[in-house]
Amino acid sequence: MQQIIRHRLVSKERLFLKVNGFVLIAAFLLSGCAGSGPVKNSKSTYRNGMVVTASPFASKVGLDILKKGGNAVDAAVAIQFALAVVYPNAGNIGGGGFMVYRAAAGETNTLDFREKAGAAASRDMYLDQSGAPIVDKSLYGPLASGIPGSVAGMVAAHQKYGKLPWAKLVEPAILLARKGFPLSAQQANELNGLAAQLQQLNPDGTALLKTGKWAPQDLLIQEELAGTLEQIRDHGKAGFYEGKVADQLIAEMKRGGGILTKSDLQQYEAVWRKAITGAYKQYQIITMPPPSSGGIALIQLLKSVEPYPLKRWGYQQDSTVQLMVEAERRVYADRATHLGDPDFYQVPTQGLMADQYVKDRMSSFNWSKASLSSAVKAGEPKGKEHEETTHFSIVDQAGNAVSVTTTLNGSYGAVVLVKGAGFLLNNEMDDFSVKPGAPNMYGLIGGEANAIAPGKRMLSSMTPCILEKDGKLFMVVGTPGGSTIITSVFQTILNVVEFDQNMQQAVSNKRFHHQWLPDLVYAEKGAIDSLTRLKLESKGYKIEPRGPMGRVDAILKTKDGSYQGGADPRGDDQWLGW
Ligand code: DON
């Protein structure tokens, strides 16, 4: 009830603000409170550093931290918390993600803050009595949530590499939550579209709901979330996994039939893992190991196409598209069988990326006819013993680079905000294979490697990535997009290194995607021209139109040593340099 009253008040405030329109919002932004209205770049490249995120507000937060002497990890922590406020469909404290780090001197590391299944999770928890998946059960409500990893991840990253005090990094997010920020047109639309579901899953109301419709420039104020962020500011990891916030999260579990317990929360740890690395021509790829499938798959894809003259064939020409699609078909077949949480399943990492293995996989491919996915199975790599997300890229003044992809899984995750704590729960449990062969929300299938088990991390496609060229920093890249993440990163890299596009063109250009099953080439409008389409269709490829794929945010280090940004026009994404 208190919540409803609060929302009525907030709605009144909004009405007032609407009436007074721009003046108030402008005054508010100029006051520097909500941290900062959007700013614009005056140049196309910058020498001191750069951030690219899904929100102009989060980009501004990151840039401010860099300018105050923070390093790339400090900026990443501040951005992660800011995105939880200004990009609630994917930015999060109730979800998880991955960080890939490369120090200016070349040291690399990765941080796994992926969610985990609770101790009470079980293999068949999303099946009905006949053994069929109950789809909504792994998608909506607290039962869909894994143990959140983001706060533990940010604490671990800061402890190892951070320079500025922790509180200074959380503070901008608190201000944005308490003072509010103006919604973009896309955000207002999304929230209006989600209203019925938000209402149903949050009967006591949430700050994301309003009486009437959201309009662009409406202020979104999230007081409860500000309170939770204050706990995190003051108590670090304990501010989320213990005490008041933990109690609120567990109460939400009880209310909505979730299974996470206090001991699940207390036991959660983020894990430092050795980066996956692989060479493509003179480039070195530094990316995420399992439980992401993305790193291994990206290196398999690049190795699959490396022997062919892509540059000569040209960008999006029929041979180029056909080759990439056939590589994708085989790599995603491997993903479905061989990839899972390495703490639970022996992933044949080196076997999958071995040159000879990749070559053998591509040998079944025939230029005159599309392969059939039904005839392409996972390979037999050596070392096998048994059978809406968001990305941000940062480079700091010293040249340290951070690539982070973080997610609630679906847009707005489980669509449940923890009562009193104001943050959204993830629905990451759907990334497990809830039943062998049953597709998840991205159409991905899996088996034993990615079966649900207590304490296990669900397989991910997130592919935060850093590239070196001739031993020096070259690119920072990544994207959301579920199953399309890996192929979007793949295409963005090729756009730059093979097709000589600048960072923004490489990000903006239209994308296509194949994931083995279903046996379709998904293509954004304009990704495959009509002649190429005809040629491919005559060989048996089925091309299916699709809406926007991913939101790639990337940084390129140019020949003269300055940074060039690529912010995805599919969203409100923005790069900022200094
Ligand atoms: O980890 C994964 O692969 C998915 N949970 C990512 C979800 C995602 O990218 C949603 N954004 N569009």
Side-chain angles (χ1 to χ4, degrees):
M1 182 49 105
Q2 261 186 351
Q3 185 91 350
I4 292 173
I5 293 169
R6 194 181 70 76
H7 280 104
R8 287 214 183 105
L9 284 176
V10 171
S11 298
K12 264 196 187 165
E13 273 171 36
R14 286 205 189 94
L15 185 68
F16 177 68
L17 280 166
K18 229 175 158 179
V19 172
N20 290 277
F22 282 139
V23 183
L24 268 181
I25 290 177
F28 166 71
L29 291 176
L30 286 173
S31 75
C33 287
S36 31
V39 291
K40 291 219 171 351
N41 294 294
S42 52
K43 301 194 291 183
S44 60
T45 60
Y46 286 84
R47 298 202 79 87
N48 285 330
M50 186 169 279
V51 300
V52 198
T53 85
S55 155
F57 294 96
S59 293
K60 175 72 166 58
V61 165
L63 187 72
D64 285 348
I65 294 291
L66 292 184
K67 285 184 171 173
K68 282 179 189 153
N71 62 23
V73 170
D74 291 324
V77 171
I79 288 172
Q80 172 80 30
F81 288 121
L83 284 168
V85 178
V86 297
Y87 195 69
N89 51 335
N92 66 81
I93 52 175
F98 300 125
M99 174 184 287
V100 175
Y101 173 77
R102 181 186 182 278
E107 170 206 347
T108 63
N109 211 341
T110 79
L111 180 62
D112 167 2
F113 53 99
R114 180 73 161 165
E115 301 91 324
K116 291 169 88 161
S122 58
R123 195 183 182 90
D124 298 337
M125 64 189 279
Y126 300 112
L127 305 185
D128 66 15
Q129 278 176 342
S130 72
I134 310 168
V135 176
D136 279 3
K137 234 178 155 181
S138 62
L139 286 178
Y140 305 112
L143 189 61
S145 301
I147 310 164
S150 291
V151 177
M154 293 308 103
V155 170
H158 182 253
Q159 279 173 353
K160 198 168 181 74
Y161 295 115
K163 220 165 106 187
L164 295 185
W166 172 255
K168 277 209 163 28
L169 308 179
V170 191
E171 201 62 48
I174 297 171
L175 273 178
L176 284 161
R178 178 144 291 131
K179 303 284 185 180
F181 71 97
L183 293 173
S184 71
Q186 200 171 87
Q187 288 180 312
N189 250 340
E190 276 172 9
L191 284 177
N192 289 334
L194 197 74
Q197 205 178 15
L198 272 170
Q199 184 77 65
Q200 188 198 344
L201 286 159
N202 303 272
D204 293 336
T206 99
L208 300 183
L209 272 168
K210 97 175 235 184
T211 320
K213 285 202 180 304
W214 291 104
Q217 301 300 319
D218 276 355
L219 272 194
L220 177 60
I221 293 169
Q222 301 170 85
E223 285 160 15
E224 292 177 346
L225 181 56
T228 298
L229 288 164
E230 280 168 350
Q231 293 290 319
I232 295 168
R233 176 195 62 194
D234 297 343
H235 307 291
K237 194 175 168 209
F240 184 84
Y241 295 92
E242 294 169 38
K244 183 178 163 197
V245 176
D247 289 346
Q248 288 166 323
L249 197 155
I250 299 309
E252 192 62 59
M253 287 291 143
K254 294 203 171 120
R255 241 189 320 275
I259 53 166
L260 300 184
T261 62
K262 275 201 172 163
S263 112
D264 284 333
L265 293 178
Q266 274 159 12
Q267 282 169 29
Y268 185 88
E269 298 283 351
V271 185
W272 291 101
R273 300 187 189 273
K274 193 168 175 296
I276 288 275
T277 56
Y280 177 77
K281 300 188 177 171
Q282 73 265 53
Y283 303 93
Q284 178 78 350
I285 320 297
I286 302 152
T287 181
M288 199 64 211
S292 179
S293 61
I296 292 175
L298 177 65
I299 287 166
Q300 286 186 297
L301 287 171
L302 288 166
K303 286 197 171 179
S304 303
V305 302
E306 190 173 7
Y308 298 87
L310 291 181
K311 203 188 271 293
R312 179 154 64 76
W313 289 343
Y315 170 68
Q316 305 310 54
Q317 296 303 301
D318 55 323
S319 300
T320 307
V321 176
Q322 184 175 4
L323 179 72
M324 288 166 73
V325 163
E326 292 301 344
E328 291 169 7
R329 187 194 309 280
R330 286 159 179 77
V331 166
Y332 276 78
D334 275 348
R335 180 195 190 280
T337 296
H338 295 304
L339 275 295
D341 181 350
D343 296 342
F344 283 72
Y345 186 86
Q346 177 130 5
V347 177
T349 302
Q350 294 312 325
L352 285 166
M353 298 192 301
D355 291 344
Q356 192 58 44
Y357 173 77
V358 174
K359 202 167 159 209
D360 291 348
R361 292 286 285 156
M362 289 300 278
S363 64
S364 63
F365 146 58
N366 176 350
W367 281 110
S368 62
K369 217 162 106 235
S371 300
L372 288 175
S373 286
S374 53
V376 172
K377 304 287 175 227
E380 299 271 332
K382 289 210 174 92
K384 196 171 140 290
E385 290 191 342
H386 49 84
E387 261 329 279
E388 223 152 69
T389 308
T390 187
H391 177 84
F392 50 94
S393 296
I394 307 169
V395 183
D396 66 21
Q397 196 167 12
N400 304 303
V402 167
S403 186
V404 173
T405 315
T406 178
T407 187
L408 291 165
N409 192 27
S411 202
Y412 301 92
V415 199
V416 172
L417 287 101
V418 172
K419 193 173 165 185
F423 67 90
L424 280 151
L425 291 173
N426 68 81
N427 62 346
E428 219 72 61
M429 291 297 283
D430 191 64
D431 272 352
F432 278 117
S433 172
V434 303
K435 185 184 179 179
N440 73 1
M441 71 182 284
Y442 303 105
L444 292 168
I445 63 168
E448 184 55 37
N450 191 30
I452 302 173
K456 188 173 175 181
R457 287 174 157 96
M458 52 299 280
L459 185 62
S460 172
S461 301
M462 293 188 287
T463 314
C465 188
I466 298 176
L467 270 74
E468 290 173 354
K469 183 179 182 185
D470 303 326
K472 300 210 172 74
L473 179 66
F474 179 67
M475 192 193 293
V476 188
V477 59
T479 182
S483 58
T484 66
I485 290 174
I486 303 164
T487 54
S488 294
V489 172
F490 176 47
Q491 286 167 87
T492 307
I493 293 173
L494 290 182
N495 286 353
V496 173
V497 307
E498 293 293 349
F499 306 121
D500 300 325
Q501 296 172 16
N502 69 33
M503 196 71 261
Q504 189 56 61
Q505 290 166 332
V507 165
S508 302
N509 274 338
K510 303 298 181 198
R511 300 191 264 267
F512 61 87
H513 168 79
H514 195 293
Q515 60 179 53
W516 179 47
L517 293 174
D519 194 346
L520 295 168
V521 182
Y522 292 106
E524 290 182 327
K525 196 163 180 243
I528 298 178
D529 67 35
S530 43
L531 183 61
T532 305
R533 170 184 286 266
L534 279 177
K535 287 184 184 166
L536 292 171
E537 283 175 347
S538 73
K539 293 179 179 181
Y541 292 93
K542 293 188 205 76
I543 300 172
E544 179 89 357
R546 234 190 95 147
M549 281 186 220
R551 288 180 180 190
V552 178
D553 284 342
I555 301 171
L556 184 69
K557 190 160 186 191
T558 60
K559 277 189 193 133
D560 72 1
S562 59
Y563 300 110
Q564 200 179 69
D568 205 315
R570 293 161 182 82
D572 302 320
D573 307 42
Q574 190 192 28
W575 62 265
L576 286 177
W578 68 299

